Amino acid sequence: MRFDPRFCPNATRVLGLDAITYGGDYNPEQWPREIWHEDVELMVRAGVNMVSVGIWSWAKLEPREGEFDFEWLDYLLDLLHKGGIRVDLATPTAAPPAWFYKNYPQARVVTRDGTVLTNASRGMAAPSSPDYQRACANVTRALAQRYGNHPAVAMWHVHNEYGAPVSDSYDNASRDAWRIWLAQRYLTLDGVNEAWGTSFWGQTYYEWDEIPVPAISATVTNPSMRLDYARFSSDAVLGCYLQERDIIKEHSAAPVTTNFMALNCPSMDLWAWAQEVDIVSNDYYLEAADPRGHIKLALDSDLTRSIARGKPWILLEHSTSGVNWQDRNVAKKPKEMARNSLSSVARGADGIMFFQWRAARFGAEKFHSAMLPHAGVRSRVFREVCDLGAALGELSQAGVAGSSVPAEVALLWDWESFWAQDLEWRPSIDAQHRERTLAFYTQLWEDKVTVDFAYPEQDLSAYKLVIAPASYLLTDAGAANLADYVRGGGKLAVSFFSGVVNENDTVRHGGLGAALEDVLGLRIDEFLPLRSGDSYTLLAEGKLADACVASVDARIVGGKLRGDVWADDLDVQTAEIMARYLDGPKPDGAAITRNLLGQGAAWYVSSRLVGADLAAFLDAVYLDAGVSPRRDLPADFEIVTRASRDESGDRFTFLINHTEQVVDYVSGTIVENLIPGGEQASAAVAVPPGEVWVVREHA
Ligand code: GLA
């Protein structure tokens, strides 16, 4: 996989996959060839070393079914190769050509409400359609045979953002595949009926061909069935990926990836998907309406590193400035693009790529920013793109690529649980897994505590603290694993509406919290959700009261916290009460508890806490777990450390100043500042507003 130095006069700038990868989606089929030559020159100027090519090119590559035109792609790959730009070559199956829809109208996607989607846009066909699968296999094979050993091809980019915009379809081929999937999972119809609780509302199935797809029905569709359809759909789409990947592997040794959307495409179970790619890659776009969007970006990066099991990953798409598909596409401020990009590097990315290299003049995305915007090389954005390329080159030289991101805390994240919780008729629409996860993550981010994400069944023993912000669905194996983790000395913090159902969305016999009763030392008699806007006061006791006293936040007075959305009627067994409700639906009832189990302890918080109240709760938990937050620095000063995997003991600490003030950072062990133009660092550095400094420290 090493880059061929014959085409790389400046090895620090063009390092292919052995260093930090830099570039973007490149769609030259939208431009005349003379522009392609200019593109390559400008890419070299910007420090670009890889581009993703061919993502939307099916109609150009195969203008008629079975007839291929590779002349333009041969020319392009050779041109890029001569320029020292490596290629992430895409299979174009996210945009089938018009002939496909004309020849195979039955392969169109059918939505849950029965709408048949037409073409004139992009978006795959029905994932289970044999016609779509065959057409994908044909074009993938043709590409892999032709370019499998092309020296420019560094990586394969299968499809584009599987699961978006199409994750599920309710067409006839999907229905047939769904029945087969069910037969494989349950073996018998009795198994299906039992898993889905079909004796409720008289839904029992006596023949396989009686089972429908869970399209819209008169009222709420069987939730267990819908949960299985979500699993089936993730598997069906994964099957499309696997088919293409396996064909590529027959013809090429280059690594294969597909660009995930870890945070923003909730329909794919990426714990399963990530095992099937050679390199995890991910796309993320800031939400312009959120002035602190960098926190969700950080969450997305930590999630992506976690599904990559700690191995380096590639940010395959983000934007240099505004996008085009939000209501108000706010342009990024000067240096914001660098802060976003380097935050991702800090959190384990070894590649920083954008949508897209050159802004499109026509089509749906002509107002989307690009590395080379409509305003051209004189633009601020292009200057910043060149600066970022230089900075990434420096970081590559310093050995950042390949280093790891140590984390002491894990947040539980389970797509299956989220699918189940998102179904209809839950106790409160205000109990939202995304809100809880983001609330806990935000506090940890402000506290500069780096987190991994984990699924409930995985080995958790390396973490000092595991937090379950929203684990509505918990398998028996997951619950047992959490109990073992605590018994072995781990500290666990569980938020409300967790451990409620098993993998079939079925409440366990024995209670609403039966899965976690022993570990939490309590029983849940009843859920007590609140009316919209209602809140109540909790009075802290014990270790939590101590944490409130120690809190520097003026909002915490006399150990009183505010909670809303939710309460439980708790029957406390072995747990110690850490806070009681003073008012609300259960005055004097236990609200927050801590239970000793084996060598560890498990906290339970039955209330929705935010801001200072959540910070006070976490302070008590951190102390219990031996985790050290950094509350002495401004909340929006981001600090993350990558650690070298070799014997050097080098640690690269990224200091990202999202504030408008200079922030002083003191460390006794700084060796040098790695960002070009930055001063050589001593024990203390003063990071200017908006800047990112990366310092090398020794452990
Ligand atoms: C997605 C797609 C890209 C482009 C961008 C625009 O991530 O993969 O092709 O449409 O969005 O933000």
Side-chain angles (χ1 to χ4, degrees), residues 25 56 122 160-161 259 261 283 285 317 323-325 355 365 368:
D25 284 12
W56 311 111
R122 65 178 176 186
N160 189 68
E161 294 183 342
N259 46 343
M261 296 165 81
D283 298 351
Y285 291 90
E317 284 183 31
V323 298
N324 63 299
W325 42 266
F355 176 81
E365 298 189 307
H368 198 290

Side-chain angles (χ1 to χ4, degrees), residues 162-348:
Y162 275 114
V166 171
S167 60
D168 49 355
S169 178
Y170 298 79
D171 61 292
N172 289 344
S174 297
R175 181 202 57 205
D176 296 345
W178 158 236
R179 290 175 182 157
I180 292 167
W181 185 91
L182 287 171
Q184 284 166 349
R185 183 174 172 93
Y186 294 108
L187 305 179
T188 64
L189 272 172
D190 285 349
V192 177
N193 283 314
E194 193 181 328
W196 293 358
T198 53
S199 54
F200 179 84
W201 281 357
Q203 298 163 50
T204 307
Y205 300 103
Y206 294 99
E207 302 289 342
W208 286 100
D209 65 3
E210 292 171 0
I211 300 178
V213 287
I216 288 183
S217 45
T219 179
V220 170
T221 308
N222 184 314
S224 312
M225 177 194 206
R226 286 200 62 197
L227 174 59
D228 266 347
Y229 205 73
R231 291 184 176 115
F232 157 73
S233 299
S234 179
D235 286 355
V237 178
L238 178 58
C240 294
Y241 164 77
L242 292 176
Q243 172 183 256
E244 294 188 29
R245 181 203 64 183
D246 292 348
I247 291 169
I248 291 167
K249 294 262 176 211
E250 286 169 25
H251 303 282
S252 178
V256 180
T257 192
T258 182
N259 46 343
F260 297 147
M261 296 165 81
L263 189 56
N264 285 341
C265 176
S267 50
M268 299 294 113
D269 179 358
L270 297 185
W271 293 121
W273 274 75
Q275 298 178 43
E276 306 294 349
V277 296
D278 296 318
I279 297 174
V280 166
S281 60
N282 193 61
D283 298 351
Y284 188 76
Y285 291 90
L286 286 192
E287 286 170 25
D290 178 0
R292 300 181 80 202
H294 46 268
I295 299 178
K296 268 196 197 159
L297 169 70
L299 189 164
D300 186 65
S301 297
D302 287 337
L303 179 58
T304 305
R305 181 188 67 255
S306 301
I307 59 173
R309 305 296 162 94
K311 284 193 272 173
W313 54 280
I314 297 179
L315 179 61
L316 208 51
E317 284 183 31
H318 70 311
S319 67
T320 56
S321 190
V323 298
N324 63 299
W325 42 266
Q326 300 183 9
D327 288 346
R328 294 166 193 84
N329 297 294
V330 178
K332 288 191 181 176
K333 291 189 186 135
K335 300 180 183 162
E336 191 174 356
M337 175 190 72
R339 289 199 298 280
N340 295 162
S341 302
L342 293 171
S343 167
S344 302
V345 175
R347 293 172 190 281

Side-chain angles (χ1 to χ4, degrees), residues 360-383:
R361 287 180 48 234
F362 41 78
E365 298 189 307
K366 54 186 167 291
F367 299 123
H368 198 290
S369 59
M371 298 177 85
L372 183 61
H374 291 296
V377 292
R378 292 205 188 144
S379 60
R380 170 185 70 85
V381 166
F382 187 70
R383 277 197 305 277

